């Protein structure tokens, strides 16, 4: 009998309607459409507007789309994992809120915080629950409402982030050897000083002072983060290829975290693959943190074929980074 593996059997997603263009950002901060496009590859991003609308709102929309595309009954879901750094609140977990909202009444659920690598960590975690034989249907959601933690006066940071959500269904497969095959993940809190949120946690709870000092926004030293990202994301992708004896011609697509087109290009170059094999939607959505990778899979779903070799790669806050080797499981 073949080893049980966890395959992706469907994707859903949600993007808020409001489009924040580079042109609109030109009116908010000292920047230009040309600078943003050239330095990042981003033209526009989506923003979730409206009172009391958090990540769970977008996550539930993504999961509902997933259920309607796959015809899965929410009651069949055993586990729902939500990957996010912008939870609705510190607790309860956003996963708990989403699971109840979508009717996954027989599931247990929890959040994973691994910033831009969150979806990859969530996928690997979920795959182990399935491979163990304990669980049959697991949903992994990547969602972030980055606009809730962005200072729209900080031109170096506000231009790259956007809001969005996407979700995949993982199921067991005992036959064909598709699904999540391998991964290489790392983390190092050396990244804390370069990318963090100063207040709002147990070390520095919210106060009038923290609000006045803008300590509830993303603090990012872009250039330092860029340097780590550009080498580590490429290294991780290359390592996973080497470990699994994959050559450039064996790869159908690189599915990279969408933080900056220049980081993506460097990763593709290291892997020796051309741009026609790189999933890219940064132009439309910017950096939606935990949602970028599943949103790419959603946009390219109709180009994927059963048995395709995909390398998913990410780098983000923590630092956290890694790459995952996935064999696609269905034709669209
Ligand atoms: O996903 C989570 C992990 N995050 C990342 O992977 C982000 C990695 N970092 C980046 O993508 C890039 O560092 C940024 C896009 C954030 C910034 O681009 P950069 O090319 O690294 O710019 P920089 O910070 O080195 O700044 C270069 C120049 C500076 O001016 P001077 O000092 O050379 O005169 C900045 O003040 O560009 C200036 N600048 C801008 N100019 C116009 C910074 N932001 C802007 C802007 N518009 N929005």
């Amino acid at each position: 009998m073949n080893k049980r593996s966890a395959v992706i059997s469907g994707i859903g997603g949600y993007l808020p309607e409001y489009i924040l263009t580079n042109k609109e950002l030109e009116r908010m901060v000292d920047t230009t459409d040309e600078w943003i496009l050239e330095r990042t590859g981003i033209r526009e991003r989506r923003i979730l507007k409206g009172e009391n609308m958090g990540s769970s709102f977008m996550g539930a929309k993504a999961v509902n789309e997933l259920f309607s595309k796959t015809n899965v009954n929410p009651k069949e879901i055993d586990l729902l994992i939500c990957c996010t750094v912008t939870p609705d609140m510190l607790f309860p977990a956003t996963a708990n809120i989403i699971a109840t909202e979508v009717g996954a009444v027989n599931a247990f659920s929890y959040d994973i915080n691994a910033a831009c690598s969150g979806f990859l960590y969530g996928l690997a975690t979920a795959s182990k629950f399935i491979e163990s034989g304990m669980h049959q249907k697991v949903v992994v959601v990547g969602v972030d409402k980055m606009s809730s933690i962005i200072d729209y006066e900080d031109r170096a940071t506000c231009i790259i982030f956007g809001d969005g959500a996407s979700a995949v269904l993982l199921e067991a497969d005992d036959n064909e050897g598709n699904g999540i095959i391998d991964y290489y993940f790392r983390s190092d809190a050396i990244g804390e000083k370069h990318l963090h949120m100063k207040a709002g946690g147990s070390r520095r709870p919210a106060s009038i002072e923290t609000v006045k000092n803008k300590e509830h926004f993303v603090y990012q030293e872009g250039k330092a983060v860029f340097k780590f990202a550009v080498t580590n994301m490429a290294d991780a992708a290359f390592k996973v290829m080497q470990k699994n004896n994959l050559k450039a011609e064996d790869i159908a697509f690189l599915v990279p975290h969408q933080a900056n087109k220049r980081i993506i290009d460097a990763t593709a170059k290291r892997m020796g693959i051309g741009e026609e094999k790189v999933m890219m939607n940064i132009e439309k959505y910017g950096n939606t943190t935990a949602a970028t990778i599943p949103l790419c899979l959603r946009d390219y779903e109709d180009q994927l074929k059963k048995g395709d070799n995909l390398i998913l790669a990410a780098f983000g806050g923590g630092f956290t980074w890694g790459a995952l080797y996935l064999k696609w499981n269905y034709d669209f």
Side-chain angles (χ1 to χ4, degrees):
M1 200 179 97
N2 286 339
K3 183 176 164 276
R4 166 168 289 205
S5 62
V7 297
I8 291 183
S9 55
I11 316 175
Y14 175 78
L15 289 149
E17 272 170 34
Y18 190 85
I19 299 174
L20 175 58
T21 61
N22 289 351
K23 282 282 165 207
E24 187 175 351
L25 280 168
E26 281 182 358
R27 298 192 288 274
M28 295 160 68
V29 288
D30 181 14
T31 192
T32 61
D33 178 32
E34 295 72 30
W35 192 95
I36 302 172
L37 199 54
E38 194 191 310
R39 303 304 292 165
T40 69
I42 302 168
R43 277 182 203 278
E44 57 191 42
R45 65 290 288 142
R46 301 299 181 96
I47 304 293
L48 181 65
K49 301 262 186 185
E51 288 289 306
N52 285 317
M53 310 263 270
S55 288
S56 72
F57 173 83
M58 294 189 288
K61 291 256 187 206
V63 177
N64 279 330
E65 185 186 271
L66 171 70
F67 288 162
S68 63
K69 276 171 75 180
T70 53
N71 287 320
V72 163
N73 180 341
K75 291 186 179 139
E76 289 174 56
I77 304 301
D78 304 309
L79 164 64
L80 185 148
I81 295 176
C82 176
C83 314
T84 188
V85 286
T86 50
D88 282 20
M89 52 193 100
L90 275 177
F91 72 90
T94 300
N96 306 156
I97 301 169
I98 295 173
T100 297
E101 177 67 30
V102 301
V105 290
N106 295 313
F108 71 106
S109 61
Y110 59 89
D111 287 356
I112 286 184
N113 174 336
C116 302
S117 309
F119 183 76
L120 290 195
Y121 284 22
L123 215 49
T125 306
S127 73
K128 299 299 162 199
F129 281 98
I130 286 178
E131 287 167 18
S132 74
M134 283 282 287
H135 301 289
Q136 311 307 318
K137 286 186 169 46
V138 179
V139 171
V140 182
V141 188
V143 56
D144 271 299
K145 184 186 170 187
M146 294 308 291
S147 63
S148 65
I149 55 168
I150 293 298
D151 175 5
Y152 284 96
E153 292 182 348
D154 173 4
R155 70 173 180 170
T157 306
C158 72
I159 50 139
I160 68 172
F161 290 102
D163 302 339
S166 188
V168 298
L169 178 65
L170 285 186
E171 293 187 79
D173 180 271
D174 294 320
N175 302 312
E176 295 178 284
N178 290 332
I180 293 154
I181 311 284
D182 195 15
Y183 55 86
Y184 169 87
F185 292 166
R186 287 292 181 274
S187 60
D188 188 341
I190 192 174
E192 183 195 331
K193 61 176 179 287
H194 304 299
L195 181 53
H196 60 259
M197 190 193 287
K198 294 188 187 308
S202 55
R203 204 193 285 173
R204 193 162 161 73
S207 66
I208 290 171
E209 195 193 350
T210 62
V211 172
K212 270 193 193 150
N213 293 342
K214 296 186 162 193
E215 293 179 35
H216 298 275
F217 292 129
V218 172
Y219 170 85
Q220 177 172 259
E221 293 165 3
K223 212 190 252 312
V225 177
F226 185 92
K227 271 191 200 160
F228 280 97
V230 88
T231 48
N232 285 310
M233 194 163 117
D235 278 356
F238 188 67
K239 278 197 173 90
V240 167
M241 279 175 74
Q242 269 192 325
K243 204 172 146 210
N244 292 280
N245 296 316
L246 292 168
K247 307 220 165 6
E249 57 269 28
D250 302 323
I251 310 286
F253 281 104
L254 163 66
V255 193
H257 170 52
Q258 312 275 306
N260 188 315
K261 186 175 180 299
R262 289 181 291 143
I263 299 171
I264 297 171
D265 291 345
T267 304
K269 196 170 165 207
R270 181 82 199 281
M271 294 169 69
I273 63 169
E275 62 181 5
E276 72 288 353
K277 287 186 173 185
V278 180
M279 291 193 188
M280 189 95 77
N281 57 18
I282 191 169
E283 212 179 298
K284 297 187 287 181
Y285 313 138
N287 181 352
T288 55
T289 303
T292 60
I293 289 177
L295 279 173
C296 274
L297 291 173
R298 179 176 178 254
D299 277 6
Y300 284 75
E301 188 183 15
D302 60 354
Q303 297 182 42
L304 293 172
K305 296 192 181 51
K306 195 170 187 162
D308 274 354
N309 290 318
L310 309 182
I311 299 289
L312 285 50
F315 183 93
F319 293 132
T320 56
W321 70 97
L324 182 143
Y325 169 30
L326 168 73
K327 251 185 177 322
W328 196 246
N329 186 54
Y330 61 93
D331 297 324
F332 191 63

